[in-house]
Amino acid sequence: MIRKSTNLSRKNHVIAANLDRAVIAVSLLFPEIKLPFLDRILVTCEVYGIRPVIVLNKIDLYGKLYADDVENFLRIYEGAGYTVIRTSCKTGEGIDELRKLCSEGVSLFSGESGVGKSSLIKALDPGLDPKIGKISAAHMQGKHTTSLYEMYPLAGGGFVVDSPGLRGFGLVDLEKEEISKYFPEMLRVGQDCRFTPCTHTHEPGCAVKEAVDAGIISPERYNSYLGMLEEDTKFR
Ligand SMILES: Nc1nc2c(ncn2[C@@H]2O[C@H](COP(=O)(O)OP(=O)(O)OP(=O)(O)O)[C@@H](O)[C@H]2O)c(=O)[nH]1
Ligand SMILES: [Mg+2]
Ligand SMILES: [Zn+2]
């Protein structure tokens, strides 16, 4: 799994190797999720053939007020074909399911600072002691508590890699025509576009745009795709 540094060096940064899956932890609150950021991680997983599992953590915080946001999130990502597990390190919801999933092979825990990567690892195996931070009261964000990559064996089987919170996630170099292949829902319908290659932006007879209009592909995912296409090449 590789990301491009978002600073001027634009260096490739190898995050981890020989992974069986990437557990991408997100939260609707503290810190608030940014969908294009999640989509960049998902594209990178597709590029390297790593199976992503999305963990919507801190489910105990959302209540009725955010019920629609939770539904919307599931609609977007389950609709795109991803596995989404709802978890809480406070109530234990979803932890058994996540433990079962992680009981074989090596799982990288990735995501923004403060989403609860280290807390999830501790919940999977209370015998472990990864450092857990606090949410900064001033910014309602994580404080970059985990500073090193560390692999732990789980008592119930499998290995997990705790990692420092990601600040930015630069995509590795991809040709513009290539990007949509890494959106599984676009790959599925893209064969039916009238033109090949099709950028799925302005071409007539574009099956991807039709699927967006028909509500089969979510506008949020499509917008992330457009954002990746439009990015100045220095950010890709
Ligand atoms: N309410 C609630 N708080 C949680 C949950 N999971 C984690 N937290 C809290 O979120 C804060 C950050 O948790 P960490 O596990 O340190 O987050 P992290 O993703 O490892 O953060 P970095 O190491 O900085 O990247 C802590 O105060 C946790 O107690 C949860 O499911 N519900
Ligand atoms: Mg941590
Ligand atoms: Zn098209």
Side-chain angles (χ1 to χ4, degrees):
M1 179 106 157
I2 301 181
R3 74 180 176 115
K4 221 173 180 103
S5 162
T6 43
N7 66 25
L8 279 177
S9 75
R10 311 301 307 149
K11 279 200 178 120
N12 282 337
H13 169 188
V14 178
I15 295 178
N18 297 325
L19 298 169
D20 293 286
R21 72 189 63 76
V23 173
I24 306 163
V26 298
S27 173
L28 295 183
L29 294 170
F30 321 127
E32 185 187 339
I33 185 172
K34 292 141 203 102
L35 299 185
F37 177 75
L38 171 58
D39 292 328
R40 304 168 75 86
I41 302 178
L42 290 171
V43 163
T44 305
C45 286
E46 300 293 340
V47 170
Y48 293 106
I50 302 163
R51 187 178 158 219
V53 176
I54 301 170
V55 167
L56 180 57
N57 191 33
K58 308 200 184 187
I59 202 85
D60 58 287
L61 292 180
Y62 308 142
K64 280 209 180 89
L65 199 56
Y66 288 89
D68 288 349
D69 297 279
V70 171
E71 282 312 308
N72 197 38
F73 184 84
L74 294 173
R75 192 181 48 72
I76 297 169
Y77 289 96
E78 289 182 339
Y82 290 108
T83 302
V84 183
I85 305 179
R86 282 165 277 182
T87 60
S88 166
C89 300
K90 294 274 182 276
T91 68
E93 184 175 341
I95 298 298
D96 285 344
E97 194 183 346
L98 183 61
R99 188 183 296 114
K100 199 166 161 215
L101 216 129
C102 294
S103 67
E104 269 175 41
V106 180
S107 309
L108 169 71
F109 279 59
S110 191
E112 235 189 300
S113 177
V115 293
K117 299 177 292 298
S118 304
S119 305
L120 285 162
I121 288 172
K122 173 92 183 160
L124 291 181
D125 182 347
L128 298 175
D129 216 5
K131 205 168 162 205
I132 293 171
K134 286 207 170 62
I135 296 301
S136 120
H139 307 288
M140 291 310 199
Q141 282 177 354
K143 291 180 165 176
H144 292 277
T145 304
T146 305
S147 56
L148 295 169
Y149 289 82
E150 195 159 357
M151 183 155 83
Y152 299 94
L154 294 177
F159 291 86
V160 292
V161 180
D162 196 5
S163 67
L166 294 167
R167 290 168 204 267
F169 200 94
L171 284 184
V172 286
D173 294 312
L174 294 173
E175 298 298 330
K176 273 190 193 305
E177 302 75 46
E178 224 186 339
I179 298 174
S180 69
K181 285 199 301 193
Y182 301 115
F183 283 75
E185 70 273 50
M186 294 191 195
L187 182 65
R188 279 194 286 273
V189 302
Q191 286 118 287
D192 298 330
C193 293
R194 192 182 303 163
F195 298 104
T196 27
C198 181
T199 64
H200 317 307
T201 53
H202 60 277
E203 296 88 344
C206 171
V208 168
K209 280 198 296 170
E210 281 163 20
V212 175
D213 290 341
I216 296 165
I217 290 178
S218 83
E220 290 88 349
R221 292 270 295 167
Y222 184 64
N223 283 335
S224 283
Y225 167 68
L226 293 181
M228 291 178 201
L229 274 187
E230 280 165 17
E231 261 164 29
D232 194 321
T233 43
K234 86 172 193 277
F235 287 111
R236 277 204 290 111

